[in-house]
Amino acid sequence: MKALVTGKLLEPILARVRVEHEIVVNEAERPMEREALLDQIGDKEGLLCMISDRIDAELMDRAPRLRMIANYGVGYDHIDVPAATSRGIMVSNTPGVLTDTTADLTLALILAVARRVVEGDATTRSGRFRQWTPFHFLGTDVTGKTLGIIGLGQIGTEVARRARAFRMPILYHNRRPVSAELERELNATFADMETVLSQSDFVSLHVSLNEQSRGMIGRAELALMKPTAFLINVSRGPVVDELALVEALRNETIAGAGLDVYEREPALTPGLAEFKNCCLLPHVGSATIEARTRMGTLAVDNLLVGLADRIPPNCLNCTDLGRDKA
Ligand code: 8YV
């Protein structure tokens, strides 16, 4: 069969697909252009795609043979899953394999903004570190501070586990509380959004992007945060109203932000890049060689199983398609 792979994967991982199928791979170090994607998809049965691709009804209509979309990543807000379901196309993602990696980066952002790591590095490199003084680069403690987690799912839970080493009490908000046992293990207390926002020293977002979470952190929510608190976002950019964030940073109603994702990625809202109290990363939550290897392997597992017309291990819509998730 024919499959399109929209970004580079390690060759041994791709080789597993080549054994059985004919594949076209985007070897460029940049996402596929929309037109190229639409041109290429026409005769393909399988698609292995990434966050930088928009996989919508228009694309699926160009691909009458398409039966399997394997996403390289856990978040799949760039894929119109109902459109796939209505066309009988299976969709999968890669949960679990990037959980630790993304949780690690969350801690890196918390530490970076609290201790002004990036600013300090820039100062030293540029020759502006001239002497030690008692007030030079004062930051804020992380140990013992309250960590607010919005979305205590797999990644949020791993962030909370790491925060235990910093003796941070956790306040969290979820659609439903987690088990009492997990709350005890994490030293986590369920609270409403207002309480999490107003009482935390760090507010970290770990929700998936959907119609409920889009714009979830806007002007009103930012206004609830302490002026000494930091916002951390490694989930999806559109969860935060970036204009409202720039305004809060400008008015110093929050202490700073650690971001890995942006509302109009890769563009930044004007003004955002000016703030020294922000650490702005280029969507690298899962960017380690180990995590990307695991993601590629799992995405290919899903693709191959789907192309064999069996149920992929991480199928997102097999139940809706009337296929058992056995
Ligand atoms: C990936 C991510 O790098 O998995 C996700 O949802 O946001 C990232 O960690 C990206 O999705 C790769 O396609």
Side-chain angles (χ1 to χ4, degrees), residues 127-146:
R128 285 176 287 138
F129 172 36
R130 297 202 179 88
Q131 71 270 304
W132 183 95
T133 63
F135 285 91
H136 197 211
F137 271 97
L138 290 193
T140 176
D141 270 350
V142 171
T143 299
K145 294 290 175 69
T146 299

Side-chain angles (χ1 to χ4, degrees), residues 9-66:
L9 302 184
L10 294 173
E11 193 44 47
I13 296 175
L14 281 178
R16 292 177 50 219
V17 189
R18 288 192 214 282
V19 172
E20 295 176 53
H21 306 287
E22 195 183 311
I23 54 173
V24 173
V25 182
N26 170 31
E27 300 280 357
E29 265 303 329
R30 56 177 184 280
M32 275 187 89
E33 298 288 346
R34 175 80 180 163
E35 278 314 308
L37 194 56
L38 293 176
D39 279 353
Q40 286 288 347
I41 198 69
D43 59 347
K44 306 293 187 291
E45 277 93 2
L47 170 64
L48 193 154
C49 64
M50 335 238 142
I51 190 167
S52 41
D53 311 313
R54 185 159 41 87
I55 309 300
D56 55 8
E58 182 195 17
L59 179 132
M60 295 176 208
D61 285 340
R62 297 271 191 113
R65 303 161 70 97
L66 195 60

Side-chain angles (χ1 to χ4, degrees), residues 148-192:
I149 296 185
I150 298 178
L152 193 72
Q154 286 193 45
I155 296 173
T157 297
E158 282 310 321
V159 170
R161 287 208 167 102
R162 284 153 177 75
R164 292 232 58 185
F166 292 89
R167 302 193 293 279
M168 300 175 92
I170 309 287
L171 277 177
Y172 77 98
H173 184 71
N174 252 13
R175 264 177 293 199
R176 279 179 300 279
V178 299
S179 69
E181 193 188 347
L182 186 58
E183 285 190 347
R184 259 195 312 279
E185 182 204 321
L186 302 175
N187 191 17
T189 308
F190 182 79
D192 57 27

Side-chain angles (χ1 to χ4, degrees), residues 49-52 71-78 94 98 102 234-236 260-261 283-287 292 295:
C49 64
M50 335 238 142
I51 190 167
S52 41
N71 184 46
Y72 176 78
V74 64
Y76 52 88
D77 45 280
H78 55 296
T94 60
L98 45 80
T102 307
V234 300
S235 63
R236 281 293 181 264
D260 187 40
V261 287
H283 199 148
V284 291
S286 66
R292 290 286 161 84
M295 287 160 68

Side-chain angles (χ1 to χ4, degrees), residues 238-257:
V239 172
V240 177
D241 173 347
E242 235 172 61
L243 263 179
L245 176 61
V246 167
E247 195 179 289
L249 289 162
R250 190 160 285 140
N251 297 333
E252 298 180 14
T253 62
I254 66 169

